[in-house]
């Protein structure tokens, strides 16, 4: 969603800020803006659409001298919430005097009452945004000390924020603060960079400080002074970033999505490496704690997540029940806290999130902790809010995922969930022999995935036959049901074809009414206990004229024969097979979208991490 970059230091701020915004483009946005301090005034450039538009606008608005001399500024990419993505609604927003500029991620929930109060005092607002209200509120509180003004304003705010503020009256500092929306501060040599995401910092420094909720920092070129909102100093460690700048570049691929699909053998190897115990037929996941006894006392697994992460949780549900004989449930994170879930100390709540910033998943974590559950996270982004909020968890080690459409995070999530289920299972009824067999299969996942990637060209040829339909169905049973859901999500988000995933048995309960001659049905029918029944459902679709693309197990001629087209994936344990099967669907969706001329990495209306409810 929205992205923040701030810079104070020794080089020209505009280049650093525009470069940083470009690195945040993957998060999804629809307008952008930048504010620089030009002597004793704040100057702002904004544009709707891409950062490239903003760059053009800034170069025509500002003289080359200003570009060279301004060494402090803030910038933003906006994903519209309050008001359309117009130039006037883009950030930075100014206070009433025009001397204070603010960029903001999050939502000020009480902005209407604050705005009415300020309007009654004579303030005039230019935009429809909640952010402009906060800018005016800071201006209203400013009695000569910007830090204190921001504290006083934030005390009046209900909602979430990650902010950066500059003032023409205090040109040596940026004030930044967070509550529920991340802020990372990059500590360089005579320069400091603020961002909502480390990707914007990594090209400048590897040394970062993550702010905690309700932290506020006075940032200068040489120092970072962090306090709480009551002005009490707090200490935050400097961490080393693990990623390098190259990881956030396309590396010769046409799209980040394709690059990330191709990275999966490596990212899966990283997710699995050192985590299997091939003596005990179990797994070693330090983040789950070291006590088998503690794990044995758990009576239920509850997984929460959204979107792709929710689909990974659904595969995990089959794994926990099959391998560990433990009740396992999945809850959409947005629903979790509002339904007042019944939870206790024997419930094992796993929050699943690539970004570690999804607002609903974070809220679910807080609720589960409140109710005394054993909470941990399964997160990709190191140091993210959910990882820090849970305090206990397992990182995916998938590497940065830039494409909005999640690929490698899903396959790593499923792999780690399989290893977690294996460990729980070995503490229960799963035997050493069974454990060893599964552990070896998990170890082979990177090579299974590589075999599917190697079929890329063939899959592209099949994709070319499915371009012209505006609707598609994905069906599956057992663990292939969430794979069907994930396949449908991939296709709809990047190709804009209306695609729905259904349990194969559910078609007859309504959706089959929509089938017509040539309607695509993508059937995930790999070998496993439910395969024959899925093939039966495929026959029902064929009888109504549907065109069937099957994801089948290599050498399964019975399945091949009922499909119009098929992509075969290597034979594997039915839970493990979910991973090569989904990779086939990722590649299929990618090529459909590419051949339809879609943007792919930044689909319309979507954001990489959804930081609002
Ligand atoms: C899927 O391709 C999307 N990127 C989306 O569904 C995503 O999985 C969801 O928003 C959850 O994000 P998270 O994993 O970062 O929490």
């Amino acid at each position: 969603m929205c992205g923040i970059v701030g810079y104070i230091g020794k080089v020209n701020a505009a280049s650093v800020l525009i470069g940083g915004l470009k690195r945040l483009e993957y998060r999804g946005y629809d307008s952008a803006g930048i504010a620089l301090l030009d002597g004793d005034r704040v100057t702002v450039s904004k544009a709707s659409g891409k950062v490239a538009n903003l760059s053009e606008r800034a170069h025509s608005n500002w003289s080359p001298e200003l570009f060279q001399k301004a060494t402090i500024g803030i910038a933003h990419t906006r994903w519209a919430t309050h008001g359309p993505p117009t130039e006037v609604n883009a950030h930075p927003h100014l206070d009433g005097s025009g001397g204070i500029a603010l960029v903001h991620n999050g939502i000020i929930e009480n902005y209407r009452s604050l705005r009415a109060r300020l309007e009654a005092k004579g303030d005039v607002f230019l935009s429809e945004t909640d952010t402009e209200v906060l800018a005016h509120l800071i201006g209203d509180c400013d009695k000569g000390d910007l830090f204190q003004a921001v504290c006083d304003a934030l005390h009046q705010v209900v909602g979430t924020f990650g902010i950066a503020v500059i003032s023409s009256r205090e040109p040596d500092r940026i004030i930044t603060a967070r509550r529920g929306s991340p802020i990372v501060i990059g500590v360089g040599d005579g320069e400091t960079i603020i961002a909502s995401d480390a990707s914007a910092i990594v090209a400048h420094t590897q040394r970062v400080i993550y702010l905690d909720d309700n932290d506020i920092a006075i940032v200068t070129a040489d120092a970072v002074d962090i306090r709480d909102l009551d002005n009490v100093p707090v200490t935050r460690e400097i961490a080393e970033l693990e990623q390098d700048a190259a990881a956030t570049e396309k590396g010769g691929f046409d799209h980040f999505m394709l690059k990330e699909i191709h990275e999966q053998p490596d990212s899966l190897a990283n997710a699995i490496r050192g985590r299997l115990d091939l003596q005990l037929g179990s797994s070693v996941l330090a983040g789950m704690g070291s006590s088998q006894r503690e794990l044995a006392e758990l009576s239920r697994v509850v997984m929460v997540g959204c979107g792709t992460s929710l689909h990974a949780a659904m595969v995990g549900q089959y794994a926990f029940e099959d391998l560990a004989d433990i009740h396992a449930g999945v809850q959409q994170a947005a629903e979790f806290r509002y339904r007042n879930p019944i939870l206790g100390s024997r419930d094992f709540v796993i929050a699943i999130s690539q970004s570690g910033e999804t607002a609903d998943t974070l809220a679910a974590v807080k609720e589960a902790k409140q109710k005394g559950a054993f909470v941990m996270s399964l997160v990709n982004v190191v140091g993210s809010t959910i990882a820090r909020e849970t305090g206990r968890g397992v990182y995916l080690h998938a590497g940065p995922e830039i494409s909005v459409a999640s690929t490698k995070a899903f396959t790593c999530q499923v792999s780690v969930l399989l290893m977690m289920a294996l460990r729980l299972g070995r503490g229960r009824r799963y035997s050493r022999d069974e454990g060893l067999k599964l552990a070896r299969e998990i170890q082979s996942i990177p090579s299974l995935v590589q075999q599917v990637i190697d079929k890329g060209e063939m899959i592209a040829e099949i994709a070319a036959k499915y371009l012209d339909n505006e609707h598609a169905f994905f069906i599956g049973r057992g663990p292939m049901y969430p794979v069907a859901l994930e396949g449908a999500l991939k296709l709809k988000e990047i190709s804009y074809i209306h695609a729905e995933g259904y349990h194969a048995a559910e078609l007859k309960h309504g959706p089959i009414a929509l089938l017509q001659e040539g309607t695509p049905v993508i059937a995930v029918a790999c070998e496993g206990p439910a395969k024959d029944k899925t093939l039966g459902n495929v026959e029902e679709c064929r009888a109504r004229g549907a065109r069937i693309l099957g994801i089948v197990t290599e050498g399964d001629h019975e399945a091949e024969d009922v499909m119009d087209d098929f992509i075969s994936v290597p034979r594997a344990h039915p839970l493990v097979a979910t991973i090569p099967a989904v990779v086939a669907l990722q590649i299929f969706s990618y090529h459909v979208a590419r051949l339809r001329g879609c943007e792919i990495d930044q689909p319309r209306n979507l954001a990489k991490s959804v930081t609002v409810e």
Side-chain angles (χ1 to χ4, degrees), residues 358-421:
T358 300
D360 287 321
T361 311
L362 176 62
V365 165
K366 290 184 176 162
E367 182 64 18
K369 278 173 74 178
Q370 193 61 35
K371 290 195 145 64
F374 180 91
V375 185
M376 62 165 277
S377 56
L378 185 50
V379 157
N380 193 33
V381 178
V382 175
S384 55
T385 307
I386 291 172
R388 289 176 321 123
E389 183 67 38
T390 52
R392 175 200 306 253
V394 179
Y395 282 120
L396 297 178
H397 299 312
E401 192 180 67
I402 306 295
S403 162
V404 165
S406 184
T407 53
K408 60 181 181 173
F410 178 85
T411 50
C412 289
Q413 283 164 343
V414 172
S415 303
V416 175
L417 286 167
L418 292 182
M419 290 190 283
M420 291 171 81

Side-chain angles (χ1 to χ4, degrees), residues 306-309 352-355 358 404-406 489-490 493 610:
C306 301
T308 290
S309 295
I352 306 178
S353 172
Q354 187 287 128
S355 61
T358 300
V404 165
S406 184
L489 177 61
K490 286 290 87 80
E493 67 184 326
V610 180

Side-chain angles (χ1 to χ4, degrees), residues 4-7 163-164 174 176 183-186 192-196 201 219:
I4 288 176
V5 192
Y7 178 81
I163 58 169
I174 302 174
T176 182
I183 292 288
V184 193
I185 302 172
T192 314
I193 305 158
I194 295 162
S196 50
I201 292 177
V219 173

Side-chain angles (χ1 to χ4, degrees), residues 422-461:
L422 176 60
R423 172 143 184 227
L424 273 194
R426 289 288 290 121
R428 291 174 158 76
R429 294 292 307 144
Y430 212 54
S431 71
R432 179 172 176 275
D433 280 356
E434 290 171 307
L436 277 176
K437 221 170 138 202
L438 185 65
R440 287 196 196 101
E441 288 232 16
I442 293 172
Q443 207 172 29
S444 74
I445 290 172
S447 107
L448 302 180
V449 166
Q450 186 61 55
Q451 290 171 54
V452 181
I453 291 171
D454 291 343
K455 297 184 179 186
E457 274 181 31
M458 182 272 280
I459 299 174
E461 279 167 27

Side-chain angles (χ1 to χ4, degrees), residues 303-320 329-333 350-354 361 378 404-407 409-415 417-418 474 477-493 499-503 575 578-579 582 585-586 589:
M303 285 163 284
V304 292
C306 301
T308 290
S309 295
L310 184 70
H311 298 153
M314 291 171 75
V315 178
Q317 182 178 23
Y318 287 92
F320 282 109
V330 173
Q331 293 193 12
Q332 208 283 341
I350 309 172
I352 306 178
S353 172
Q354 187 287 128
T361 311
L378 185 50
V404 165
S406 184
T407 53
F410 178 85
T411 50
C412 289
Q413 283 164 343
V414 172
S415 303
L417 286 167
L418 292 182
F474 286 68
R477 284 171 176 255
M480 294 304 173
Y481 165 49
V483 169
L485 295 180
E486 176 59 11
L489 177 61
K490 286 290 87 80
L491 188 68
K492 80 180 99 180
E493 67 184 326
E500 293 301 337
Y502 288 103
H503 190 282
L575 286 164
T578 55
I579 294 173
V582 89
L585 295 178
Q586 293 167 356
S589 300

Side-chain angles (χ1 to χ4, degrees), residues 217-238:
I218 302 166
V219 173
T220 62
D222 302 302
V224 179
D225 175 5
I226 308 175
R227 324 239 177 125
D228 68 15
L229 289 178
D230 294 318
N231 205 358
V232 177
V234 293
T235 308
R236 303 284 172 238
E237 300 291 310
I238 294 186

